[in-house]
Amino acid sequence: SASGGLWKTSNGGLAWQPLTDELPTLGTSSALVDPVNPSIVYLGTGDRDHNDAPGLGVMKSTDGGLTWSSANSGMGNAIVGDLLFPLNSSITLLAATNAGIYRSQDAGNSWQQVATGNFKDLDRHPLNPAILYATASGRFYRSVDTGATWQQAGNVPTVSRMVIATSPAA
């Protein structure tokens, strides 16, 4: 929840347990579960759309969300709008933040900024994992090298807010 933290259900939604009430911010704009080890969870902090909750960069849990530690070295207290594993690997991660796109190649231990801007959303090509997409300030961006570099793609009409999704059908 953008200003209410991360919640978990273990019974199909009949009951929910808050996992982040003890964190210094309840703002949560993204959560990502490690595809190799589901006990590892990444949390993108801050409210990406209304700034109702401050960002603290990325938080990481290795016990399914019971405890959290900062995983924001190189990124600082950015508002993280989206997180993505570009490959089916738990090593490389991308974070779309209010300061740009950050890339980690060591499971979130350190981050390098690879693009600047107020990024909100990330997605990957459904058939080619080297091709990634992102949005920032109503603009559409593309990477063809698993997120190492980014370029604005095409002439998308400028809008204030945009999200993306991909499909193998189109």
Side-chain angles (χ1 to χ4, degrees):
S1 164
S3 61
L6 181 67
W7 295 68
K8 176 182 178 180
T9 182
S10 299
N11 60 6
L14 296 176
W16 292 85
Q17 171 190 2
L19 298 180
T20 55
D21 282 357
E22 303 304 317
L23 293 181
T25 183
L26 287 178
T28 302
S29 288
S30 182
L32 187 65
V33 177
D34 186 308
V36 176
N37 181 352
S39 293
I40 299 175
V41 181
Y42 296 89
L43 183 69
T45 64
D47 179 352
R48 78 177 193 175
D49 293 321
H50 297 289
N51 297 319
D52 289 342
L56 298 175
V58 175
M59 302 293 285
K60 182 177 180 179
S61 175
T62 58
D63 57 12
L66 298 177
T67 61
W68 297 92
S69 60
S70 291
N72 64 355
S73 178
M75 151 188 323
N77 291 339
I79 295 173
V80 181
D82 202 5
L83 293 164
L84 177 75
F85 288 113
L87 306 169
N88 289 326
S89 157
S90 57
I91 302 300
T92 302
L93 289 100
L94 292 167
T97 79
N98 64 325
I101 296 177
Y102 287 83
R103 189 173 189 237
S104 174
Q105 294 181 307
D106 58 8
N109 292 318
S110 64
W111 297 86
Q112 297 76 39
Q113 189 173 25
V114 294
T116 58
N118 187 8
F119 283 85
K120 305 278 188 177
D121 198 23
L122 294 165
D123 209 341
R124 63 182 173 184
H125 190 283
L127 304 174
N128 184 345
I131 300 173
L132 305 174
Y133 307 105
T135 63
S137 303
R139 292 182 177 84
F140 186 70
Y141 291 80
R142 183 173 181 234
S143 172
V144 294
D145 54 11
T146 318
T149 61
W150 293 86
Q151 280 136 24
Q152 188 173 342
N155 292 324
V156 178
T158 301
V159 294
S160 63
R161 195 167 130 189
M162 164 170 60
V163 295
I164 51 177
T166 59
S167 164

